[in-house]
Amino acid sequence: MLYKKKKILSGLSSIALSLLLFTGCGSTSAEIPSDAGSASNESQSDSSVLRYAVASSPKGLFSPLLSNTTYDNNVNNLVYSPLILLDENNEYKPGLAEKYEFSDDNLTITFHLRKGIKWHDGEPFTADDVLFTFTSMADPNYTGSRFNEISKIVGAQDYHDGKADSISGIKVIDENTISFTYTEVFAPSLSNFSQRGIIPKHIWSKVNIADWENSSELLNKPIGTGPYKFVEFKPDQYVELERNEDYFGGAPKIEKFIFKVTNTETELSELAKGDLDIVTLTSTKEEDFKMLKDAGIKIEEKPSANYQFLTMNSNKEFFKDKRVRQAITYAINREGMAKSLIGEHGKVINAPISLAGWAYPESGLNTYDYSVDKAKSLLNEAGWTEKDGVLQKDGVKFEVDMLVPTGNKVREQSAPIIQQNLKDVGITVNISTMDIASAMAKTHGEGDYDMGLFGFTLEVDPGDADRYWASSIANGSQFNFSNFINTQSDELLDKATKTIDKNERKKIYAEWGKLINEEAPYVFLYSQNDIRAYNPKLEGYTYSAYSVFPGIENWTISK
């Protein structure tokens, strides 16, 4: 059984993944100026500062309820704390809650909060802050994308629809105890509580929730309970944090934490010189690995929680027939692409489930091995005939635009490969390069686009997948790029979230994966490994596919 009463948090294994948008924005080369605090100009030998390279600047959405990029999330993960933490083995451990318990029917979770915790401004943390955070996610005027995480709590939908003044399923028992009651068994519930940092009521309640995204007072001066306090944000340059001496996990040993916006062309040399301490490698060139190893840099590689994909907008006539979508999958030499772009540092995937978790189907998936003949045969079955090297149907040429967001160099390099592969079967593809924000804007609603190259980073539990694939939200979802609508998919996702036994859930997700594999709303490309290169003097450093900074309070940089 996944749920056990009076279970101490540190003893529970993680239930794997789901989806969080993986965005790659344009990288900018920038040096941290001399006025960025005493840590910003110290050498590598100074144990008081750690510099963490980021490929793109955060947007400045420093709220766990509003952020939607990896870069903002990184900052929020250090400033704010959730009720439950994940360690490097993806096991739950105490966060703001020191323990929890489930009711006999598995519908109610009661959290027992730590006592004596202070916000960064010195105000006391209580259960009212937890109530405020999760109630805000259901507010009718809330502009973020987290409502789905609590939509199954009793009364949440009525509150969201303006039919109630509060969420009846959330009850503050005392200042250190709070409970959540669900309308039905919801297996991913604990993973949601591990993903969402708590915000301070005494600060955020002063601003109308509809104005949160535009409030510089809130977003530029975030106050949390996390291991690090916010100091300064210079867009396109850096974010500076300082340790929280009162952190409940113990004051971090490293005094300053700098997220430094770097250029992917120069970050490796900066790491080798000691100007950076941690870099997430996107390069898979063996000469880069050799250079780093020769410089004494440590390198660690793990399966990642992200994947790259080519989405096809099924609202467009070109892609309404699944035979066309399948043909396009056959037409792209995914194995060859992966080998040329990432070598042995990742692999091709065939379903939208993380290779780093427990739910990826072990068998039964169509691998769509590269075949021009198979692609042409399916296109012909769908009514497309070739004339002068270009497919046509009812007098319309098969010519489409493909959005290519900038910032992820490996993904950008896949665009001309896809363009040529599809040309070989008679499909003309025009590449349209733009920043990630512009590309995302074109996919909202019914989507003003044909095809697009994107990536997702997956959350802890696959039960959250309904916000990306459920038919009921297809046309309004921020992330259902393909506008995929399928009743069987909805039913399988719903069944999986109501199932407690992990092995049974795995069978359901295997069936769901096969369905998505057959329907082919995306061409699933590859999942590149998560590779970190870091300062050899950094001790205690660890990470996982789902936890970026586990145990950060224990990291040290030796002199």
Side-chain angles (χ1 to χ4, degrees):
M1 291 287 287
L2 176 63
Y3 299 152
K4 294 184 179 180
K5 292 179 286 184
K6 299 188 183 297
K7 176 80 175 180
I8 300 301
L9 292 177
S10 58
L12 183 65
S13 295
S14 161
I15 47 179
L17 51 163
S18 180
L19 301 161
L20 171 64
L21 179 66
F22 173 76
T23 58
C25 305
S27 58
T28 304
S29 178
E31 293 297 324
I32 299 177
S34 59
D35 62 355
S38 60
S40 48
N41 288 328
E42 298 294 337
S43 68
Q44 179 187 14
S45 63
D46 188 343
S47 61
S48 67
V49 60
L50 183 145
R51 298 176 187 83
Y52 189 101
V54 291
S56 188
S57 177
K59 292 181 181 179
L61 287 176
F62 299 135
S63 162
L65 273 62
L66 298 175
S67 60
N68 58 14
T69 71
T70 299
Y71 314 110
D72 290 273
N73 288 340
N74 282 340
V75 177
N76 291 330
N77 285 340
L78 294 183
V79 172
Y80 299 93
S81 300
L83 294 176
I84 306 170
L85 294 170
L86 285 173
D87 66 14
E88 66 274 17
N89 298 313
N90 301 314
E91 293 184 347
Y92 294 122
K93 69 176 189 177
L96 291 173
E98 59 185 0
K99 64 179 180 178
Y100 67 85
E101 60 194 35
F102 279 85
S103 59
D104 291 337
D105 59 8
N106 286 324
L107 292 177
T108 299
I109 315 172
T110 301
F111 290 97
H112 301 272
L113 308 179
R114 295 174 186 263
K115 298 178 181 178
I117 294 179
K118 302 288 187 183
W119 292 99
H120 293 161
D121 62 1
E123 291 295 315
F125 161 78
T126 72
D128 283 337
D129 296 303
V130 181
L131 172 66
F132 176 77
T133 297
F134 290 101
T135 299
S136 296
M137 291 162 59
D139 192 288
N141 296 311
Y142 169 61
T143 59
S145 59
R146 315 289 193 231
F147 171 63
N148 186 72
E149 295 177 14
I150 62 163
S151 62
K152 292 180 174 64
I153 293 175
V154 173
Q157 190 65 56
D158 284 344
Y159 183 74
H160 182 68
D161 294 339
K163 298 177 181 178
D165 296 329
S166 63
I167 301 177
S168 58
I170 306 178
K171 296 185 182 301
V172 171
I173 299 169
D174 58 45
E175 66 177 14
N176 296 305
T177 313
I178 188 169
S179 68
F180 296 81
T181 299
Y182 287 79
T183 57
E184 58 192 17
V185 172
F186 186 57
S189 58
L190 286 179
S191 69
N192 286 341
F193 288 116
S194 74
Q195 299 295 302
R196 200 58 48 223
I198 305 302
I199 61 175
K201 177 182 179 180
H202 69 279
I203 293 176
W204 289 78
S205 63
K206 295 177 181 178
V207 179
N208 189 302
I209 193 169
D211 299 325
W212 281 4
E213 283 196 62
N214 300 311
S215 174
S216 59
E217 184 66 23
L218 294 178
L219 299 176
N220 295 346
K221 300 176 182 178
I223 298 295
T225 57
Y228 281 89
K229 298 180 179 181
F230 181 87
V231 176
E232 186 177 29
F233 171 43
K234 290 288 187 182
D236 299 319
Q237 297 183 50
Y238 65 88
V239 177
E240 181 179 355
L241 308 176
E242 65 181 6
R243 68 180 167 207
N244 175 13
E245 299 287 353
D246 299 319
Y247 179 55
F248 59 79
K253 295 177 173 60
I254 297 174
E255 180 184 352
K256 297 278 188 178
F257 196 106
I258 307 290
F259 288 103
K260 183 181 178 183
V261 181
T262 59
N263 190 315
T264 54
E265 303 298 328
T266 63
E267 63 183 6
L268 299 189
S269 61
E270 290 184 69
L271 177 64
K273 289 188 299 182
D275 293 333
L276 291 169
D277 296 298
I278 301 175
V279 170
T280 299
L281 295 185
T282 56
S283 170
T284 56
K285 297 178 181 177
E286 292 306 318
E287 56 265 35
D288 288 336
F289 281 77
K290 184 177 185 304
M291 181 270 289
L292 291 172
K293 290 177 180 177
D294 289 345
I297 299 299
K298 290 186 177 181
I299 300 175
E300 189 167 354
E301 184 168 353
K302 300 180 180 182
S304 76
N306 67 63
Y307 66 90
Q308 301 297 316
F309 61 89
L310 173 69
T311 180
M312 296 163 279
N313 186 355
S314 60
N315 283 338
K316 300 285 186 174
E317 288 296 329
F318 293 110
F319 308 114
K320 288 185 176 181
D321 191 325
K322 78 174 180 182
R323 291 173 297 185
V324 172
R325 303 193 299 268
Q326 291 173 337
I328 289 173
T329 308
Y330 278 113
I332 297 174
N333 187 357
R334 298 179 300 147
E335 285 286 352
M337 177 193 300
K339 289 292 183 185
S340 66
L341 295 180
I342 61 176
E344 301 300 319
H345 304 285
K347 62 189 298 184
V348 169
I349 66 168
N350 292 292
I353 302 174
S354 171
L355 296 174
W358 52 263
Y360 193 86
E362 297 174 357
S363 62
L365 296 179
N366 184 352
T367 57
Y368 289 97
D369 296 336
Y370 175 55
S371 173
V372 171
D373 290 340
K374 183 67 173 177
K376 287 185 174 181
S377 176
L378 284 168
L379 288 165
N380 186 256
E381 287 180 24
W384 291 92
T385 57
E386 190 172 334
K387 182 178 181 181
D388 299 326
V390 179
L391 291 174
Q392 297 187 27
K393 181 179 180 180
D394 299 329
V396 177
K397 293 183 178 180
F398 205 138
E399 181 172 358
V400 293
D401 294 333
M402 179 171 66
L403 304 178
V404 181
T406 55
N408 184 311
K409 298 300 181 183
V410 176
R411 184 169 64 211
E412 290 177 46
Q413 291 169 21
S414 69
I417 298 174
I418 293 170
Q419 183 184 48
Q420 182 60 52
N421 283 166
L422 295 186
K423 181 180 180 181
D424 292 342
V425 297
I427 299 173
T428 300
V429 175
N430 303 309
I431 294 175
S432 181
T433 303
M434 63 190 67
D435 62 85
I436 185 67
S438 299
M440 284 287 294
K442 286 182 172 291
T443 66
H444 287 181
E446 295 186 359
D448 180 26
Y449 81 105
D450 299 323
M451 307 171 78
L453 277 176
F454 292 97
F456 276 147
T457 295
L458 301 136
E459 292 174 352
V460 179
D461 191 280
D464 291 319
D466 61 352
R467 68 172 133 157
Y468 305 91
W469 297 101
S471 299
S472 62
I473 60 166
N475 290 327
S477 171
Q478 185 178 5
F479 304 131
N480 192 337
F481 299 148
S482 64
N483 291 293
F484 178 71
I485 298 176
N486 186 285
T487 302
Q488 186 181 358
S489 172
D490 294 351
E491 292 173 349
L492 287 170
L493 290 174
D494 186 57
K495 182 180 179 181
T497 62
K498 295 177 182 178
T499 302
I500 298 299
D501 184 82
K502 180 177 170 181
N503 290 328
E504 289 302 314
R505 294 186 79 205
K506 184 172 182 176
K507 293 177 183 177
I508 297 168
Y509 285 120
E511 186 177 353
W512 178 72
K514 292 174 187 177
L515 172 66
I516 301 297
N517 173 264
E518 166 72 16
E519 292 294 325
Y522 293 169
V523 177
F524 300 105
L525 297 174
Y526 56 85
S527 177
Q528 184 174 348
N529 289 343
D530 191 353
I531 313 172
R532 307 291 174 88
Y534 62 97
N535 183 344
K537 295 184 179 181
L538 176 59
E539 299 175 356
Y541 172 62
T542 185
Y543 69 97
S544 77
Y546 314 115
S547 185
V548 183
F549 310 111
I552 191 172
E553 64 273 16
N554 297 316
W555 299 4
T556 61
I557 300 180
S558 61
K559 291 189 177 181

